Amino acid sequence: MKLILLLGAATADYVRMPVDRRALSPTSNTFTRLFPKLERFAASIDDNTLRSKVIAIGVAGGIMDAGDFGVHPNINNLENPTMSVGYTTFGQFLDHDITFDARSVINANADPLNTLNFRTTAFDLDSVYGSGPVNSPQFYTNSSKYIKFIVPQMKGSAAVSRKGFQRYDVPRTSNLRAIIADPRNDEHITLNQLQLAFLKFHNAVTDIIVADPAYKSILSDPYKVFYYAKQTVIWHYQYIIVHEFLPKTVGQSVVDDILKNGLKYYDPRTNPAFKKNIGNGRYMASLPIEFSSAAYRFGHSQVRPSYTINFGTTSELNMILFDDTIPLSTIDPNDMRGGTIGARRFIDWQTFFTFPPNLQSGVVPTHNMAIDTKISSPLFHLPKSVPAAGNCNGPQIPPGLPCDGVQSLASRNLARQVNYDIPSGQDIAAAMGLTGITVTPLQKYGLDKSSPLWFYCLYEAQTLKSGQQLGPVCGRIVAEVFFGLLYFDQSSYLVKNPSFVPNLKSITPGTFTIPDLLILANVVTPLS
């Protein structure tokens, strides 16, 4: 495939080491504000009163609860016919690649400018690669001449898999903790299996490079092979973001406008407020709190109450997302939570994405839920997260789940709008030169004209885009931040090689999609 010609001079800095997140100081990589001159929504209401009010909006059985426990959603929770369910998981994976607020609190205010983000704010897959094979050796195998990820077999899976196909898991400790760069990517089965796909994708690209005569001169140096493979993986991943995920999420017209006319609101290259000095003459982009705690949390509305996980040997396996009545210590529970093992806990991706007919086997992919103000009921009942011993770091705590007893994800999101003094959706619309909308469902709370941004984003998508993609305010925020991070990253393909055209094997030559990645990673098996 002559990938060396594809990458060209961009690989000259293959030895560029990733940022060691352990070295970040409490002031080095913090969040920022996209609209610092705007005051908090409903600013006339004191913090504690407003926090209680918005938490009540997001409680189980409240106005946001779709009431759809069980296998099938109800008429209160509409589907998005333009997007299959895999894109929600991919969106969550993207979030974990660029942001992690490890000290998030629910009942107290916090300053974004002093809140540390434990992820590198670049689409560089540090959630997969960690700090590289030198600083994060626990992720990599030493049983191969070349540097690859450890991908252990999932014990017993072949016996319960269609056509006896062997399945794999991420590596784990004796107490079942995932040994991966971001433990949150073991929150549930689908995210776990997407993380696994990226591990196997890198390994597959390594094999391609080793077999390519064009790379003969570097094969004696395993680290050169590793960084060539890593660069190839990251550029194809970034291509997917720009050409597949963003158009589906914010609309092709928004993507085209930014590519043609540039950034209007978030550009770390030119605005010093959007970047931080992390030492040694290096800078990192700062993520706006309006993005990380509001606009980009739209995916919570897309989550279904349950999913078809796989097709077993003869019949499909359906699981509810979370069931908080199941004890945390249960091995292989009947819900999708992570942090556990089981021969059946693998994904048949045909219900999540669309593949060629020989792999799709007649399966119709399942739709995402619409982006609207209804949230699937299991997300109001996250597994109980405070053990009897009160140890929030104990092995019985599922990864990524809260440890303060607040089980409603909607309440948690809404509390953040108060804690971080996030402006209203209407004020941000005005700052963008747009006409804001009245959020009618919040009228009885007195928040219809000065609304929490996260709720505003959901209602804007629901009313202006039929729930199929984000609306003009929040879609622009998401798109600007994505492109801002890519433009600020001097190693991204948009900077190094804007005319980059993928040439890994794909369904449609010259492009590359999530299904292409999954096929190349060898995690998709024919079902018939």
Side-chain angles (χ1 to χ4, degrees), residues 10 21 45 55-56 65 75 152 212 339 351 402 404 477 505:
R21 298 182 307 283
I45 305 176
I55 286 177
D65 190 344
I75 59 174
D212 190 339
T351 60
D404 53 24
I477 291 174
K505 185 177 181 181

Side-chain angles (χ1 to χ4, degrees), residues 37-267:
K37 295 182 180 180
L38 298 182
E39 61 183 3
R40 191 205 67 203
F41 79 100
S44 62
I45 305 176
D46 70 88
D47 290 343
N48 291 332
T49 299
L50 184 60
R51 188 179 295 113
S52 297
K53 186 187 292 282
V54 297
I55 286 177
I57 293 171
V59 298
I63 63 170
M64 300 192 74
D65 190 344
D68 59 357
F69 261 116
V71 174
H72 300 292
N74 64 21
I75 59 174
N76 294 323
N77 205 6
L78 302 178
E79 293 186 343
N80 178 0
T82 67
M83 189 182 294
S84 61
V85 293
Y87 290 97
T88 303
T89 303
F90 187 76
Q92 187 179 13
F93 181 87
L94 295 179
D95 176 66
H96 291 180
D97 190 27
I98 58 175
T99 179
F100 179 30
D101 170 12
R103 300 187 180 96
S104 176
V105 292
I106 293 302
N107 296 312
N109 288 3
D111 181 4
L113 276 64
N114 289 314
T115 301
L116 182 62
N117 181 7
F118 282 85
R119 290 255 72 87
T120 58
T121 49
F123 291 109
D124 58 0
L125 289 176
D126 70 322
S127 57
V128 173
Y129 290 100
S131 294
V134 174
N135 294 322
S136 301
Q138 66 272 27
F139 306 140
Y140 302 91
T141 179
N142 56 13
S143 62
S144 170
K145 178 180 178 181
Y146 297 102
I147 301 169
K148 293 184 176 182
F149 286 104
I150 300 170
V151 283
Q153 292 184 353
M154 185 178 287
K155 293 181 179 179
S157 61
V160 294
S161 173
R162 192 70 60 92
K163 303 180 73 173
F165 194 71
Q166 178 63 54
R167 308 301 177 127
Y168 295 83
D169 192 10
V170 298
R172 296 184 182 277
T173 64
S174 59
N175 62 14
L176 306 186
R177 285 287 187 180
I179 306 173
I180 53 179
D182 192 327
R184 295 174 299 168
N185 284 351
D186 191 36
E187 283 181 14
H188 52 77
I189 296 173
T190 317
L191 194 54
N192 160 288
Q193 292 286 284
L194 186 58
Q195 175 84 6
L196 172 73
F198 270 88
L199 304 183
K200 297 193 70 176
F201 180 46
H202 172 89
N203 291 354
V205 171
T206 300
D207 291 339
I208 291 172
I209 288 175
V210 171
D212 190 339
Y215 280 91
K216 184 178 179 180
S217 64
I218 69 165
L219 297 186
S220 61
D221 186 341
Y223 286 93
K224 279 191 176 182
V225 173
F226 172 78
Y227 283 107
Y228 273 83
K230 178 183 175 183
Q231 184 77 86
T232 303
V233 167
I234 289 175
W235 278 14
H236 283 76
Y237 162 66
Q238 292 172 347
Y239 184 93
I240 287 171
I241 293 171
V242 172
H243 293 276
E244 183 179 7
F245 180 77
L246 277 179
K248 285 181 175 292
T249 300
V250 306
Q252 187 65 56
S253 61
V254 177
V255 173
D256 291 342
D257 179 67
I258 292 176
L259 287 171
K260 179 181 179 180
N261 301 312
L263 299 166
K264 296 179 181 178
Y265 309 104
Y266 178 75
D267 194 341

Side-chain angles (χ1 to χ4, degrees), residues 154-404:
M154 185 178 287
K155 293 181 179 179
S157 61
V160 294
S161 173
R162 192 70 60 92
K163 303 180 73 173
F165 194 71
Q166 178 63 54
R167 308 301 177 127
Y168 295 83
D169 192 10
V170 298
R172 296 184 182 277
T173 64
S174 59
N175 62 14
L176 306 186
R177 285 287 187 180
I179 306 173
I180 53 179
D182 192 327
R184 295 174 299 168
N185 284 351
D186 191 36
E187 283 181 14
H188 52 77
I189 296 173
T190 317
L191 194 54
N192 160 288
Q193 292 286 284
L194 186 58
Q195 175 84 6
L196 172 73
F198 270 88
L199 304 183
K200 297 193 70 176
F201 180 46
H202 172 89
N203 291 354
V205 171
T206 300
D207 291 339
I208 291 172
I209 288 175
V210 171
D212 190 339
Y215 280 91
K216 184 178 179 180
S217 64
I218 69 165
L219 297 186
S220 61
D221 186 341
Y223 286 93
K224 279 191 176 182
V225 173
F226 172 78
Y227 283 107
Y228 273 83
K230 178 183 175 183
Q231 184 77 86
T232 303
V233 167
I234 289 175
W235 278 14
H236 283 76
Y237 162 66
Q238 292 172 347
Y239 184 93
I240 287 171
I241 293 171
V242 172
H243 293 276
E244 183 179 7
F245 180 77
L246 277 179
K248 285 181 175 292
T249 300
V250 306
Q252 187 65 56
S253 61
V254 177
V255 173
D256 291 342
D257 179 67
I258 292 176
L259 287 171
K260 179 181 179 180
N261 301 312
L263 299 166
K264 296 179 181 178
Y265 309 104
Y266 178 75
D267 194 341
R269 297 170 300 179
T270 59
N271 191 330
F274 298 150
K275 63 182 179 181
K276 294 286 290 187
N277 188 334
I278 60 173
N280 297 321
R282 304 179 70 183
Y283 289 83
M284 188 178 293
S286 294
L287 280 178
I289 201 69
E290 297 93 333
F291 166 87
S292 61
S293 287
Y296 198 62
R297 291 176 179 257
F298 72 92
H300 296 160
S301 177
Q302 295 177 309
V303 175
R304 297 182 71 89
S306 63
Y307 292 82
T308 298
I309 301 304
N310 59 59
F311 292 88
T313 54
T314 58
S315 60
E316 65 185 41
L317 173 63
N318 298 300
M319 276 192 179
I320 191 172
L321 185 61
F322 294 121
D323 184 347
D324 70 333
T325 65
I326 302 174
L328 294 177
S329 58
T330 304
I331 303 298
D332 192 17
N334 285 321
D335 68 359
M336 292 174 61
R337 74 182 67 181
T340 187
I341 57 173
R344 61 180 181 159
R345 305 182 81 79
F346 60 85
I347 295 294
D348 278 326
W349 290 105
Q350 285 87 343
T351 60
F352 290 81
F353 297 101
T354 300
F355 298 92
N358 65 310
L359 292 175
Q360 197 65 37
S361 304
V363 174
V364 178
T366 306
H367 291 144
N368 255 337
M369 306 315 296
I371 306 174
D372 58 21
T373 60
K374 291 298 182 183
I375 310 294
S376 292
S377 292
L379 295 183
F380 293 86
H381 303 271
L382 298 178
K384 293 181 176 65
S385 52
V386 181
N391 178 12
C392 288
N393 296 314
Q396 66 272 58
I397 300 297
L401 296 181
C403 195
D404 53 24

